[in-house]
Amino acid sequence: MAIDKITTAAITDGTITSSDLASGAIENQSAFKNIIINGDMNQAQRGTSFTSNGYTLDRFTMDESTDGAVTVTQDTDVPAGYGFGKSLKVDCTTADASIGAAQYCGFTQFIEGQNLQYLKYGTSSAESLTLSFWVRSTKTGTYCVRFVKEAGGETRYECPIEYTISSSDTWEKKTITLSPTAGSTSLITATAGAIVNSNASGFRVFWTLAAGTDWHGTNNTWTSTSDRLSTSNQVNFLDNTSNNFYITGVQLEAGTSASDFEFLPVDVNLQRCQRYYFQHTSGSGKTVGLACFYGVSSVDTVMYFPVEMRSTPSIVATSGTGYYTVYVAGNGRTIDGSLSVNRVNTQSSQVYAAPAADTMGRAGLWTTTNSSASIAFNSEL
Amino acid sequence: MIINTIKKNYFDGEFVSYQITYVDSNVEKSVPLDEANTDYQLIKQWISEGNTVIDNGE
């Protein structure tokens, strides 16, 4: 039937019921269908430029181990007309034209296992997954995405799948479907293919930018051999400092087709990120909280998290002379040293530090007094 | 970031967290004693590689 035959006037109320729709006729329509968090690269609680390995834009972590170097930034270059505002950009700042056998570079999102039980991994009913994303790079050729089913008490399985960037410096949408039996294997559908049902990492998606021969595997085939980052066809993105790689609109969903990207309200997107990292305070002149002198040189406060965090978090805080001040009875008592946690749980934490001395038992207002002051909580995977 | 030091934090005489400092950085982490915390997992790995945690007691 031609699509223009289906008009409002042609449909009488009640003539189309759920029984008229074949099972699976409409795929991927559930809310929160996107397994990837912050796939539109909108959230950047840690900042917008990163030169070291580790977490960058929310939920995406860079792992570069070559003789080259990359910088990751949040960028406004996006595919036009699709509703995106931000992208993750990887810029090759130091070239490595010859990747050693044990060298590699790529970025990852780890996914909490208890969110993935509906994929039914570890059973014969395991679901296919479809990954879609927009990508733009000056370095064309074959790239790989590495899918990892984490061990989690069972066995770790991996599957690299190739995709091609065809045109230099041009946004292209890529769609990759991952079968639970990729390569005619039965690893995922057997018991050991189960995804851990806990707050630990259950699955990982790794976008490979370069990989030495130690890490090569077979395209689109599950294996129990660890660290299959790519196939031998993977390009070396780090071969020239003019190379840039942009990505946005990342979506991973159950099924064999890619649906439109699921845009979430910005506050919902932020809250989903805050389960793993929460930037409490940043910059000068910000309120940290009400504090009490537990001892003459010991001050305590309680910090609450906006959402329940994945696990009891670490505090990640800058420290230096005069970074924080507790104002007590008209006096400022500076904190020059470390901030530490105690009695921390997934919803709140006691935070203590050693300020200039005051009277034990006094209460005061803990504020930031340096532009480099920063307090965050980390429970990333 | 490269780990510079890790020391034990005590509060009221009880060992409550680890404090990590990094080379050439003003960022520090205080890490609770929780196996599910990935910073804690990294500390255990760092110790297993033969590194020594500073323990100044209370």
Side-chain angles (χ1 to χ4, degrees), chain A residues 293 325-334 357-358 362-365:
Chain A
F293 275 77
T325 302
V326 180
Y327 291 99
V328 176
N331 298 309
R333 305 305 185 195
T334 59
D358 206 298
R362 272 184 165 173
L365 184 61

Side-chain angles (χ1 to χ4, degrees), chain A residues 152-302:
Chain A
E154 295 288 353
T155 308
R156 179 162 134 184
Y157 297 127
E158 309 206 3
C159 182
I161 299 183
E162 296 178 348
Y163 68 96
T164 303
I165 295 180
S166 305
S167 302
S168 177
D169 219 14
T170 304
W171 282 104
E172 301 174 13
K173 185 173 183 180
K174 303 301 173 189
T175 300
I176 297 169
T177 296
L178 173 66
S179 167
T181 55
S184 299
T185 58
S186 56
L187 298 172
I188 295 300
T189 53
T191 303
I195 293 174
V196 62
N197 188 10
S198 75
N199 62 352
S201 179
F203 201 84
R204 190 188 324 177
V205 183
F206 182 92
W207 285 263
T208 306
L209 298 175
T213 54
D214 285 358
W215 318 120
H216 291 170
T218 304
N219 184 44
N220 205 3
T221 301
W222 284 104
T223 178
S224 58
T225 307
S226 293
D227 304 318
R228 297 306 92 188
L229 275 58
S230 75
T231 69
S232 57
N233 296 319
Q234 169 71 45
V235 299
N236 174 16
F237 168 77
L238 285 94
D239 67 357
N240 195 302
T241 55
S242 66
N243 291 343
N244 295 314
F245 182 100
Y246 300 83
I247 187 169
T248 194
V250 180
Q251 182 154 285
L252 180 67
E253 57 198 306
T256 56
S257 62
S259 61
D260 290 345
F261 184 81
E262 181 182 46
F263 287 98
L264 297 178
V266 65
D267 57 319
V268 176
N269 198 15
L270 174 60
Q271 286 186 340
R272 297 209 73 198
C273 296
Q274 286 174 329
R275 177 170 174 79
Y276 305 91
Y277 187 88
F278 166 46
Q279 184 69 49
H280 181 282
T281 314
S282 181
S284 185
K286 306 293 174 60
T287 299
V288 174
L290 288 172
C292 176
F293 275 77
Y294 190 78
V296 291
S297 296
S298 173
V299 70
D300 288 60
T301 189
V302 177

